[in-house]
Amino acid sequence: MNRFAQPYVTMLLLFFALLGVTSCSAGKNDEKLSQKPSQDFSSLIASSDITAQDSTTGDVAAADSNAKPESIQPVLVFIQGSVSISRGSQSLTASEGLELMAGDTISTGKDGSAEIAYGSFATIRLFPNTTVNLTMIISRAMQQADHDTVDLSLLAGTVAAKVKKLSSKDEFLVLTPNSAAGVRGTQFIVGYEKLARTERTLVAVREGSVAVLPKGKLFTSLIDGRQANPLAGAVVATAFTLAPKAGPGQEISIGGQDSTLGTGEYELLLNSAESAYGSLVHQAEELQARGTDFEAVRDPVAVLAGPDSEAERPFAKLNRMMPALLISEYSRTLLEILDRMRDPGKDSAALPAALPERYFVPQPNAARDSKKVNVTPNYQGLVYSVPLASTAFAGMLSRTSEVVLLMDSKGNLYAVDQQGKKLYERQTVVSFTALDTTVAVVEQQKLTILDANSGRERGFYPFDSWQGLPQAKPVPVPNGLALATPRGVTILRQENAEVIAEIPVLGGVIAPLVLADPHLVAVSGQGKAVFIDLKNARILDEIAINLSADVLSPRVKDGRVYIAAKNGRVIAIDTVNYRILWDIKLDQSIRSDPELDGGKLYVWLQDKTLRSISLVDGAIVGTTIPHVESPPLLSKGKLYWSSSGPSLVIADAASGVILKRSPLPEVASARPILVDGNIYIGTANGKLLRIDTDKL
């Protein structure tokens, strides 16, 4: 442990040991308060009368004494495949409707999934190969407490959670061996894996906000003791308030770099975190010595992190060390499980729903079969079906002059020639860009230029710190490659990743770049569209568009750039006169990057319909196309997508009229590409399909 944090651990343990002596009963609270000297924080100390009248947190002494608190008794509401439950030394039979208890451990096998409902408080879903322990359950209804608290320990695997909006006293924590995630009402997933040298926790958020903190010995002691020791509770509440947070469409990871360098960086992060917690403990102890009663403090955060407090400084450092990044395709795939879960307290016949095959571990012979090319002549136009991955393909396919490239949801990049032969595989890839004869691969620590045909490294650009981490995949520009970072834009050579220029952008760049000749257009962290002169490496102009998150890949045509965000906003900008032409807000969110052809922009919406927008004025035009099950491809006036069945659908882009519908062996999961009359499709089962459109 950090030498600065060690004394605080000792002092904290002494507090726990003396708890039975120093604690006062609720009946003596008024007398104790009357003996305290006056202090600067007196306005934050609640009298027993105020507490008794506080109905916003659901206290048992609320004015409406007839209101019965809702139970948060956890119940197993859904099982799929193999699910086991242990209670101490006893093994229980998993069955829907089984009531669970604090201390129970639930495990799913490689074919298993389970859903647990905490009444209207929260709902959690266990992925395959996952183990959780129901560490703590404190309930107004069950224990006559003044709050509801759930602690869930994730020991292995991944869980998804839907948590209602909590009151100020309620708590929902997901704990892993190296982290703690606290929420106040959100939808998110947490994954934990043990690696050879280290361990990794990933938190990805769809709705709301999740605070994430590293967890060492000191913070573990604080979390375990917060119910019995008000000082520990105040420190934990303050730490989560100041913690790094992931918002909608963002993720935060702790650990995971399975190397000596990565292990050193994690130790530095943990030491910084433990030092920050120790500072809070020391500050709380000083206040308590001066008479502050943390059991009666209504807002401990205001006490410990007030305007004159130094507490924010070490947590600001943690925020810099643990930046929230845009979610990866892998995380986006995991978050889709939330659509198969019931909302807390809801009882829908259609939910919870079973997991599709892509969430499960492949059969033992999958690796052997992946080396074969299987031709299935029963499907019209199908040239081949190549098993490549053990999980679904994500994002979109791409290609160089000779090679087809695609990435699975675990971050593995595959290069395949047009005859279906796998050329090479690259692991732990964040994103990639296909160039003429090379591939730019973004990894956790660097951008690497690969020879497209052989996979041989030609050069790399290391990320110097979190400020160098790319915010989107790189974009080819004349004589270079543009990379968006929290600092701005870095221009690299396509041949070897040497730096050509760095262009600072205030607020950094948060979205994919787009080349709108002669400009490079970026969206900054300040919510502005930034126009960059590449020749002179300088900013020409900026205009406010008020987009600061979840911006999709912009599209360009005829001196205009069209920028869409996942929340349904679409903006058209004149790149000559630097002005907004139109700005619309759709009635639902957008699922993937828009497509542009002719006079229309096509957007794939949350309800899996495809809608077209006029480039002239942003009006909705044409026919809304339903049942679009995969990201659509728009090419030469035709739309291609996968529909239920599964089947490949080809439609006229202008009218939406279905031209052809042909059965597929599997459901597509990535946007396809069209090469020389052949469609290449990545499937949810990790296969690459090639279809000759002339034979459909």
Side-chain angles (χ1 to χ4, degrees), residues 293-469:
D293 179 10
F294 283 100
E295 188 173 6
V297 170
R298 300 177 64 186
D299 187 0
V301 178
V303 173
L304 292 175
D308 299 327
S309 172
E310 295 292 326
E312 292 191 15
R313 186 172 300 172
F315 283 92
K317 180 180 179 182
L318 281 184
N319 277 267
R320 292 191 297 270
M321 298 175 73
M322 294 173 54
L325 304 176
L326 295 178
I327 60 172
S328 64
E329 290 295 333
Y330 173 65
S331 297
R332 187 174 289 110
T333 301
L334 295 181
L335 288 168
E336 291 175 3
I337 196 177
L338 293 163
D339 295 324
R340 298 175 176 270
M341 297 168 53
R342 69 177 57 169
D343 293 331
K346 300 294 178 64
D347 186 13
S348 172
L351 294 173
L355 296 185
E357 188 175 337
R358 67 176 179 271
Y359 287 101
F360 296 109
V361 176
Q363 296 301 316
N365 62 352
R368 181 185 70 243
D369 294 342
S370 66
K371 299 179 181 179
K372 301 177 182 178
V373 175
N374 298 328
V375 178
T376 310
N378 297 331
Y379 293 93
Q380 192 174 21
L382 182 64
V383 179
Y384 58 67
S385 172
V386 183
L388 290 173
S390 62
T391 186
F393 286 114
M396 70 171 292
L397 279 66
S398 190
R399 72 176 183 111
T400 64
S401 57
E402 300 293 336
V403 179
V404 176
L405 297 147
L406 61 169
M407 191 169 77
D408 67 18
S409 59
K410 291 185 177 180
N412 300 312
L413 175 67
Y414 301 86
V416 182
D417 67 18
Q418 295 186 24
Q419 285 69 49
K421 178 184 176 182
K422 188 174 83 168
L423 302 175
Y424 56 88
E425 177 181 342
R426 186 92 175 187
Q427 297 180 343
T428 63
V429 173
V430 177
S431 66
F432 74 95
T433 299
L435 306 170
D436 290 337
T437 60
T438 58
V439 185
V441 176
V442 176
E443 299 166 298
Q444 292 290 340
Q445 298 295 319
K446 61 182 179 178
L447 179 147
T448 306
I449 300 294
L450 304 179
D451 181 274
N453 292 291
S454 66
R456 179 177 58 83
E457 293 189 9
R458 291 190 176 184
F460 67 93
Y461 169 69
F463 305 139
D464 54 5
S465 69
W466 72 269
Q467 292 182 335
L469 294 176

Side-chain angles (χ1 to χ4, degrees), residues 178-179 191 199-204 212 214 246 250-257 266 269 321-325 444 469:
N178 75 334
S179 77
E199 51 195 335
R200 178 176 186 253
T201 294
L202 172 70
V203 178
V212 186
Q250 294 181 326
E251 64 181 33
I252 289 179
S253 61
I254 295 179
Q257 299 177 25
Y266 171 70
L269 172 66
M321 298 175 73
M322 294 173 54
L325 304 176
Q444 292 290 340
L469 294 176

